[in-house]
Amino acid sequence: MTQNRKKLFIIDGMAQIYRAHYAMINNPLTTRDGRHTSVIYGFLNMLFKIIREEKPDYLAVAMDCRQKTFRHKMFKDYKANRPKMPDEIAFQIPFLKDIIENLGIQLLESPGYEADDIMGSLSKIAEKKDIESYIVSGDKDMLQLVNDSIIVLSPGNRFKPAIKFYPD
């Protein structure tokens, strides 16, 4: 946590997509013809807030792929009870990916791996290059990565502020 180090922010894409969707579930945003836009709106608000307030030197969005991961090979029932993604979320993802890429933000996906794997790997690579990483995720599993070079940023909402998790 040195003042002079470059800062990399790695956003847990799917976590933030779901977060945006459920934050507006009772009052969703839609176009005139009924297409949902809450995910796009909520995600971009979070993204622009990070850019505005944190001023990252580098920025990436890690996404899960539809393909099964190595965990499915290890345990056939991995995520077997997880409900199917709501159609209104699935509809918005291709548009959001296009926006992210058109903003010049690196979109990271790797078949066989989850966003968590990508975020952990990238933060460890950045650490070796003396770059401070901020993993933007509410997933408490990511806290195991926290050290002097890797911080977890759990985004806030209008009722509570964001929390940065630093090493003790």
Side-chain angles (χ1 to χ4, degrees):
M1 294 173 287
T2 307
Q3 299 294 351
N4 298 337
R5 292 193 335 190
K6 299 259 185 194
K7 296 188 297 186
L8 164 66
F9 279 72
I10 314 163
I11 297 169
D12 184 345
M14 291 308 296
Q16 297 310 309
I17 285 170
Y18 271 89
R19 192 169 182 268
H21 171 73
Y22 286 107
M24 303 179 83
I25 191 103
N26 293 324
N27 193 18
L29 298 176
T30 58
T31 62
R32 287 185 196 172
D33 59 355
R35 290 178 285 168
H36 287 263
T37 58
S38 297
V39 164
I40 296 167
Y41 176 81
F43 188 96
L44 291 177
N45 271 341
M46 174 274 311
L47 178 67
F48 293 142
K49 182 177 184 188
I50 287 172
I51 292 169
R52 188 176 55 251
E53 293 179 3
E54 301 291 343
K55 297 175 181 38
D57 297 293
Y58 309 104
L59 185 57
V61 177
M63 297 285 284
D64 296 326
C65 287
R66 290 182 162 238
Q67 294 89 344
K68 293 188 183 233
T69 70
F70 67 91
R71 290 174 183 84
H72 292 93
K73 292 175 185 166
M74 293 170 61
F75 180 61
K76 71 177 182 88
D77 290 331
Y78 181 69
K79 294 190 177 181
N81 296 321
R82 180 165 285 187
K84 179 183 174 281
M85 179 186 293
D87 290 340
E88 57 271 20
I89 294 177
F91 167 78
Q92 296 174 74
I93 290 175
F95 296 105
L96 183 59
K97 285 181 176 181
D98 284 346
I99 293 168
I100 291 166
E101 288 178 335
N102 282 311
L103 287 170
I105 297 169
Q106 189 69 46
L107 184 63
L108 306 171
E109 298 175 290
S110 184
Y113 297 93
E114 294 181 352
D116 292 2
D117 304 316
I118 295 167
M119 293 184 301
S121 297
L122 185 56
S123 64
K124 288 298 190 179
I125 291 167
E127 180 178 29
K128 289 177 183 173
K129 296 180 181 280
D130 199 32
I131 297 170
E132 191 170 67
S133 296
Y134 292 78
I135 297 174
V136 182
S137 178
D139 184 346
K140 301 299 185 235
D141 288 344
M142 300 311 291
L143 295 177
Q144 65 188 313
L145 295 171
V146 171
N147 64 28
D148 288 335
S149 296
I150 302 170
I151 293 97
V152 171
L153 170 63
S154 181
N157 57 39
R158 61 185 168 151
F159 304 110
K160 65 178 186 173
I163 300 170
K164 288 180 183 170
F165 293 92
Y166 295 99
D168 290 335

